[in-house]
Amino acid sequence: MIAIESLSVSLGRFAMRDLSLTIGDGEYLVLLGPTGTGKTVLLESLLGLHRPDGGSIAIDGTDVTSLPPERRNLGYVPQDAALFPHMTVEGNLAYGLRARRMDRAETDARVADMMRLLRIGYLAGRMPHGLSAGERQRVALGRALAPKPPVCLLDEPLSALNESLRIELGRELARIQRETRATFVHICHSFDEASELADRVVLLCDGSVVQVGTVADLLDRPASEFVARFTCTRNLLPGCASPAPEGSVVALDAGPRVVSSDRAEGRVVVAIRPEHVTVADGGADGAAGVDGPNVWPGLVVSIQVRSSCVQMELDIGAPLIVHTPRSSADGLPPVGATARVSVPPSAVRLVPEVGTASGGTA
Amino acid sequence: MPPGSGSVERASAFWVALRGLALLSIAGVLWLFLSNTVLMGTGDVVRAVSSLAFWRSVYLSLTTSTVTTVVVIVFGVPAAFALTRVGGRAGALADNLLAIPLVLPASSVGLALLVAFQWPPVLALQDAVGFRVAYSQAGIVVAQLVLAMAVGVRAWRAAFESVDRRQEQVARTLGSSPARAFFTVILPQARHGIATGVVLAWTRAMAEFGAVLILCSAIRGTTDILPVAMLLDVNAGETERALVLGFALAVACAAPVYLSSRGPRGERDRTSGRAMVRAA
């Protein structure tokens, strides 16, 4: 287990302040956040490449804060793989074992195991400069895992790959993590990538942890407008909340009223995920059956067919993005028609507006 | 396709002008070489190379330059690597200090050394040890050392800087100490640049004249390394002999530069190129 307590690191103009985090054994943890939020700094601090200004890092109960990188026993896969160009693939895989003065027979056996695990046996005698991006990442992963570290830290290992290779290597990472039972800490800035791999996600912003949880936690219970935006909650509508028997009623700045099962009072942002909105044909009069909480007539502004869904843009007095499965796209109203739009109050999240205190919602 | 290799590029006035300037430069070197060769007869060459003084100068130049280069390697390579790890103002200051001997006239460096070694406390120290640097063969090494060190350290620093720092960090996370990471990851990758630095330091030592002349003077039989011997021969009116010495010096300096710059494709790696550029 890795326990990070009140870690503070300064690098030039960037500062990470009082960051605390616990990473469990065998966990696949994804450090997520936009560029420049301190993900790599945190990873490199774990590795011992930066001296923290304060706080502590403990691995399995041992304080490693002042230990050099070679004494932390952590695997590391940098973003660009950073293979040793003067060594063969086999030499790269064996490097960490030789550094630990492992005997020849055991080194050879461990290298063979790694090549089998990563399915790179055909690369054994090759030099790194001739490898593809995917092969380089596999070799870098094998090099990091060969000494069997309990924790492997991966700095955007998929970012340099094309989409199909990214998906393929992502699955490989998940399989390898399961087989090795090592703790993986993986940096990325794509929520999609995180949601494919993570047991738990740590979302960072400006050197601080914004939210920690499962992918479902982040999707269903975003702690802030930033989290909601980052997890692709496309409908973020500011308004003023007041208590109601079943939760809250929010008078949106744009006009309509929205009922939420969340309790809040004062300025809030209403967060509605596009897939939680239901659209039905509004009938001949344009808004048949418009009654009950969170049911509005909505003008269909545009319809876009995407690979995974149909995206509709509606105007309910406020702009609303809706994602509908392609399989049910046949019954959708056309552009220019008035549709019946509904959202269950339990799917309406209320998050603090940027710049307001977080105590407004519960 | 490299610039200028296509028909459109070949035809453009810009590339024609560039090629013209390059040819002019090459013609200048050829003119220098041919005019000197014509002036120097076979008899002069035979007479020069059969004299003891010639071989004494060659021997003195080779030995002092080699000793200088060994000292420069021993101190300069670690210093260059250390400098790659010094950032900010300290790094910039070190860089500027190293550049000073390169931009100053060599005679100024020689004069500074002469004054430094004639300073009474240093003079007393030399007397206690039993030899004086000024006007001696040890002085030749000292004079060569200052300039060869400046050239070598700059070249080696560039060679080390061209190795991806991330690889050293990965080596450390894989269990290597800083020393092991240096010897197994950094040094092997910087080897071509380091070799280039050695050649540059050695040739700089071989060609050193101004600083040696001021610190050691031109004493026949004692401090007459090849460049100094040339001066003595010119002053004595033996221009042909000086020319032969000049050719010997040119061959001694050009051969290692040529050898270090050829070789199979791929061996002239980026560390070598950067080292050459940085030192220049």
Side-chain angles (χ1 to χ4, degrees):
Chain A
M1 190 180 81
I2 300 176
I4 303 164
E5 284 291 332
S6 304
L7 191 71
S8 297
V9 184
S10 300
L11 276 176
R13 294 168 68 185
F14 175 80
M16 177 186 286
R17 291 275 167 259
D18 295 326
L19 188 143
S20 296
L21 183 67
T22 304
I23 305 169
D25 289 335
E27 187 176 22
Y28 201 122
L29 185 94
V30 172
L31 293 176
L32 185 66
T35 304
T37 52
K39 305 182 295 291
T40 298
V41 172
L42 175 57
L43 199 82
E44 291 177 348
S45 301
L46 286 172
L47 287 163
L49 301 176
H50 300 305
R51 189 186 295 273
D53 301 331
S56 67
I57 300 167
I59 300 174
D60 291 333
T62 307
D63 190 331
V64 299
T65 316
S66 54
L67 287 185
E70 60 268 27
R71 292 181 57 197
R72 297 193 180 202
N73 195 25
L74 298 171
Y76 174 41
V77 180
Q79 189 174 356
D80 57 356
L83 298 179
F84 304 134
H86 57 298
M87 295 179 195
T88 62
V89 165
E90 231 169 352
N92 271 275
L93 293 175
Y95 186 88
L97 307 173
R98 290 182 183 140
R100 288 165 166 79
R101 301 184 192 286
M102 194 172 278
D103 68 57
R104 180 76 181 268
E106 201 177 342
T107 299
D108 290 348
R110 197 77 78 78
V111 168
D113 282 348
M114 273 302 124
M115 288 199 281
R116 213 171 11 255
L117 179 72
L118 289 145
R119 298 165 183 163
I120 51 172
Y122 64 100
L123 298 174
R126 297 262 301 272
M127 299 301 283
H129 62 80
L131 306 183
S132 70
E135 288 169 340
R136 294 172 74 84
Q137 286 297 353
R138 282 171 196 266
V139 176
L141 184 61
R143 180 180 61 182
L145 292 174
K148 294 190 175 169
V151 181
C152 186
L153 308 174
L154 305 102
D155 190 355
E156 301 196 29
L158 309 179
S159 63
L161 310 179
N162 63 41
E163 184 65 12
S164 62
L165 202 56
R166 196 188 66 73
I167 292 168
E168 183 194 326
L169 197 60
R171 287 192 190 125
E172 285 287 284
L173 282 175
R175 175 183 68 79
I176 290 160
Q177 193 264 339
R178 278 196 307 273
E179 289 185 24
T180 57
R181 296 196 196 107
T183 304
F184 272 32
V185 180
H186 174 137
I187 283 182
C188 71
H189 47 69
S190 155
F191 183 69
D192 285 344
E193 188 176 314
S195 59
E196 285 165 19
L197 293 164
D199 293 328
R200 226 160 38 112
V201 176
V202 176
L203 187 55
L204 293 166
C205 183
D206 293 335
S208 301
V209 173
V210 179
Q211 189 169 357
V212 183
T214 63
V215 171
D217 289 338
L218 267 67
L219 285 171
D220 298 337
R221 293 274 160 196
S224 66
E225 188 180 345
F226 171 79
V227 180
R229 276 187 198 284
F230 207 85
T231 55
C232 308
T233 302
R234 300 286 302 276
N235 302 302
L236 295 166
L237 310 164
C240 192
S242 52
E246 298 301 319
S248 315
V249 174
V250 183
L252 297 180
D253 294 348
R257 297 171 76 82
V258 180
V259 177
S260 169
S261 56
D262 287 354
R263 293 189 180 278
E265 193 167 2
R267 294 294 302 170
V268 292
V269 172
V270 170
I272 303 170
R273 294 197 63 78
E275 62 271 22
H276 290 158
V277 184
T278 306
V279 178
D281 198 325
D285 63 350
V290 174
D291 54 10
N294 298 348
V295 180
W296 311 278
L299 179 70
V300 180
V301 177
S302 70
I303 298 177
Q304 285 180 340
V305 179
R306 298 189 165 190
S307 59
S308 56
C309 65
V310 175
Q311 177 174 294
M312 301 178 76
E313 193 183 338
L314 296 148
D315 183 359
I316 59 164
L320 202 66
I321 302 292
V322 180
H323 287 171
T324 304
R326 287 183 63 187
S327 56
S328 57
D330 287 347
L332 292 176
V335 173
T338 301
R340 181 177 182 274
V341 184
S342 63
V343 185
S346 59
V348 177
R349 298 273 72 85
L350 303 184
V351 294
E353 205 172 28
V354 173
T356 61
S358 59
T361 61
Chain B
M1 188 184 286
S5 62
S7 57
V8 175
E9 285 83 355
R10 268 204 299 270
S12 79
F14 177 67
W15 287 110
V16 169
L18 283 189
R19 282 192 168 81
L21 287 170
L23 282 174
L24 207 61
S25 308
I26 293 166
V29 175
L30 283 175
W31 165 70
L32 204 62
F33 179 79
L34 287 173
S35 60
N36 279 260
T37 311
V38 168
L39 189 68
M40 188 175 58
T42 316
D44 297 326
V45 177
V46 172
R47 220 176 5 263
V49 298
S50 57
S51 74
L52 186 66
F54 173 82
W55 289 109
R56 194 183 54 226
S57 289
V58 170
Y59 176 75
L60 190 59
S61 275
L62 289 175
T63 49
T64 53
S65 299
T66 305
V67 168
T68 298
T69 307
V70 169
V71 175
V72 168
I73 292 169
V74 168
F75 291 94
V77 172
F81 182 61
L83 284 170
T84 63
R85 299 298 181 259
V86 180
R89 287 181 186 172
L93 182 67
D95 213 28
N96 290 332
L97 282 174
L98 274 172
I100 289 174
L102 295 174
V103 295
L104 279 178
S107 51
S108 301
V109 175
L111 185 62
L113 285 169
L114 183 64
V115 170
F117 280 102
Q118 298 295 90
W119 190 36
V122 178
L123 211 52
L125 188 68
Q126 291 173 77
D127 288 340
V129 175
F131 78 95
R132 287 196 177 184
V133 169
Y135 312 113
S136 73
Q137 289 179 353
I140 298 172
V141 171
V142 169
Q144 290 173 341
L145 197 63
V146 175
L147 292 139
M149 181 73 85
V151 170
V153 168
R154 282 177 77 82
W156 293 323
R157 187 176 173 184
F160 287 130
E161 280 173 348
S162 66
V163 178
D164 183 4
R165 182 86 190 265
R166 184 67 67 188
Q167 289 173 12
E168 181 192 359
Q169 294 174 338
V170 171
R172 297 283 306 277
T173 65
L174 287 166
S176 282
S177 63
R180 190 176 190 280
F182 175 77
F183 285 111
T184 59
V185 172
I186 299 165
L187 202 57
Q189 291 187 67
R191 65 188 187 281
H192 294 295
I194 289 171
T196 301
V198 170
V199 167
L200 290 171
W202 191 81
T203 51
R204 189 71 187 85
M206 276 292 284
E208 185 42 49
F209 172 65
V212 173
L213 188 67
I214 301 288
L215 181 62
C216 306
S217 189
I219 307 168
R220 184 75 82 181
T222 305
T223 64
D224 55 344
I225 53 173
L226 284 169
V228 173
M230 282 172 65
L231 174 77
L232 291 170
D233 284 343
V234 169
N235 284 348
E238 296 191 41
T239 313
E240 292 80 7
R241 225 170 81 104
L243 272 176
V244 176
L245 288 170
F247 267 91
L249 190 60
V251 168
C253 290
V257 171
Y258 173 70
L259 289 173
S260 73
S261 67
R262 69 192 288 268
R265 201 177 159 83
E267 284 203 10
R268 292 171 59 192
D269 66 1
R270 64 186 188 284
T271 66
S272 166
R274 284 197 192 182
M276 192 76 88
V277 169
R278 182 72 178 266

